[in-house]
Amino acid sequence: MKNFIPLFALFLLLTTISYAQDITKQIDSIVQEVHSKNPDVGISLGFIQNDQEFYTAYGKNHKESAIDINKNSVFEIASITKLVTANLLAQAVLEDKIKLEDYIDDYLPEVYVLQDAIKNKIKISDLASHQSGLEDLDFGKLITVNSQQPIDGVAQEDISAIINNCTELIDYGSYRYSTIGYVLLGDILEKVYGKSYDQIITEKLITPYQLTNTLTKEFDVPNLTKGYNQDGGEQEFFNWHTTAPAGLLKSSTADMVTFLKAILNNKTKAGKAAQLCETTYYNKDDRQLGLGTNILIDSHNTRYAKTGDSMGQSSILCYNRAKNWGIVIFITQRNSKIRSELFNQIYEVVLK
């Protein structure tokens, strides 16, 4: 009897290790298979479960490179930035800087002057859950002007004009994916903190969680990947811009796994904020949204996810708080089909 508890504990430990190894082998096998069918597309994946990290990567930093992609290779995380911005917003709420049910009117910088018809109509939570009804940027038009750096054609005056000239909220309360909503959230965060967006994210996330490969204005680093559009043409990374809170962060799978570890921890500031982001603010037509977060519910799990598509790369971040796992996938081409195939296989075969 004296040795029963230690032996039982050892058995549990070995069983846990064996189970974790089995999962990671399956994940690696799926990534390898998808890459073999798409050899020109680099893939980097990070996975965490119960604080155990796993990484796998296939391909090169870019087509002409001899450098293998690894967990520290830097990608555009695109609209996963919105999930990060929502976490910063939730941290501001927990610090009593702002209330989600407040109207945006009193929080907007002076460059915005709302028309009477839309005053005291839009809540902070409406911006974060894509149901504000505001007009958005016309990316199709911007791309025809400059396919490599389309947002360079958007000045602050252009954004202000969209907001200041708005006299009607289109389908307020209905889902309509909104870049400009997250631009405004960035402006609001800058006003309540009295700092720039990149300063806020550095102080709230990058520095405390040591996200050394999560980059804002400066991203000319040796471990930078290249992006390729849907036709395989080389695509520049977007320059830092006033639209940054909606999609301009660059990061690595290692950093995003560290971020996942923080948000899965109920005791960290990021973790407490993430739980607030997981609250449902929109639930219609089989679509459920929190703050910057898609809420995916099936008969087995509740998952929280955000995808990202820049002009040259695709990505996904997803986690399951109840089962304490999280996953992030980056690929070097704008290709939602490959991203979906990869993630769906891993979820259906391994994580479900």
Side-chain angles (χ1 to χ4, degrees):
M1 288 296 292
K2 290 182 179 179
N3 294 325
F4 176 76
I5 293 178
L7 287 173
F8 183 67
L10 178 61
F11 171 77
L12 285 177
L13 176 62
L14 292 173
T15 302
T16 301
I17 292 172
S18 177
Y19 175 70
Q21 289 175 339
D22 184 55
I23 285 179
T24 56
K25 283 181 181 178
Q26 290 182 73
I27 292 173
D28 183 68
S29 177
I30 292 169
V31 176
Q32 186 177 29
E33 180 185 0
V34 171
H35 181 260
S36 69
K37 295 188 293 184
N38 305 278
D40 290 334
V41 178
I43 302 171
S44 182
L45 178 147
F47 177 72
I48 183 171
Q49 185 168 40
N50 300 323
D51 283 341
Q52 294 187 46
E53 300 176 17
F54 166 74
Y55 300 94
T56 188
Y58 289 87
K60 306 296 182 181
N61 275 1
H62 55 88
K63 293 179 181 179
E64 298 80 25
S65 175
I67 301 173
D68 291 331
I69 287 174
N70 60 46
K71 66 179 183 179
N72 294 313
S73 299
V74 174
F75 292 74
E76 287 188 297
I77 73 171
S79 286
I80 292 176
T81 304
K82 292 182 176 71
L83 184 146
V84 175
T85 300
N87 192 277
L88 295 173
L89 172 67
Q91 288 194 45
V93 171
L94 295 174
E95 293 171 12
D96 293 324
K97 297 279 188 183
I98 196 169
K99 290 183 174 63
L100 291 170
E101 298 311 305
D102 285 347
Y103 294 111
I104 67 173
D105 305 44
D106 294 333
Y107 292 96
L108 292 174
E110 293 179 357
V111 293
Y112 301 110
V113 181
L114 299 181
Q115 297 280 340
D116 289 342
I118 67 167
K119 284 183 177 178
N120 295 318
K121 299 283 188 182
I122 306 167
K123 297 175 182 177
I124 301 291
S125 59
D126 294 331
L127 293 179
S129 55
H130 299 288
Q131 53 183 320
S132 70
L134 289 168
E135 294 182 28
D136 207 356
L137 299 172
D138 186 345
F139 271 100
K141 183 177 180 180
L142 293 169
I143 290 167
T144 60
V145 175
N146 185 346
S147 62
Q148 289 293 325
Q149 294 290 341
I151 57 173
D152 278 3
V154 182
Q156 175 61 61
E157 292 77 11
D158 298 316
I159 296 172
S160 300
I162 291 174
I163 303 304
N164 295 347
N165 294 330
C166 180
T167 58
E168 180 184 6
L169 301 179
I170 307 168
D171 297 328
Y172 172 80
S174 296
Y175 172 80
R176 194 156 48 84
Y177 195 76
S178 175
T179 292
I180 208 157
Y182 271 80
V183 174
L184 291 182
L185 285 176
D187 289 331
I188 289 168
L189 286 169
E190 288 184 336
K191 183 172 181 178
V192 299
Y193 282 112
K195 299 175 181 178
S196 66
Y197 176 78
D198 61 296
Q199 287 176 313
I200 297 167
I201 193 172
T202 298
E203 292 179 11
K204 299 291 184 181
L205 292 176
I206 293 175
T207 298
Y209 301 109
Q210 299 180 15
L211 307 180
T212 54
N213 287 311
T214 299
L215 308 173
T216 57
K217 293 182 177 180
E218 303 296 331
F219 52 89
D220 184 12
V221 292
N223 52 335
L224 191 72
T225 61
K226 280 188 179 179
Y228 298 88
N229 61 34
Q230 291 170 313
D231 298 321
E234 191 170 317
Q235 185 71 41
E236 296 175 7
F237 278 21
F238 282 174
N239 297 324
W240 195 253
H241 186 266
T242 188
T243 58
L248 298 187
L249 286 176
K250 284 73 178 172
S251 192
S252 65
T253 51
D255 271 15
M256 286 294 99
V257 164
T258 299
F259 177 58
L260 280 166
K261 186 185 291 187
I263 64 178
L264 285 167
N265 185 336
N266 298 336
K267 296 181 180 179
T268 66
K269 290 182 179 179
K272 293 174 181 177
Q275 291 176 85
L276 183 56
C277 292
E278 293 159 16
T279 303
T280 299
Y281 279 89
Y282 180 88
N283 190 1
K284 295 179 184 177
D285 302 323
D286 297 324
R287 186 187 298 276
Q288 193 165 335
L289 298 171
L291 306 176
T293 306
N294 295 300
I295 303 171
L296 309 173
I297 301 175
D298 58 33
S299 58
H300 301 276
N301 298 289
T302 297
R303 294 163 288 147
Y304 305 97
K306 187 72 190 79
T307 58
D309 291 292
S310 68
M311 293 292 291
Q313 299 193 332
S314 290
S315 54
I316 184 171
L317 181 149
C318 180
Y319 65 96
N320 183 324
R321 185 173 296 281
K323 293 186 177 179
N324 203 29
W325 61 254
I327 190 169
V328 59
I329 302 170
F330 295 146
I331 64 176
T332 58
Q333 185 181 35
R334 179 186 171 96
N335 195 315
S336 59
K337 183 179 178 180
I338 295 176
R339 176 192 61 209
S340 297
E341 178 188 359
L342 185 53
F343 176 78
N344 290 341
Q345 279 194 52
I346 291 171
Y347 179 67
E348 293 293 333
V349 175
V350 184
L351 300 176
K352 195 169 183 178

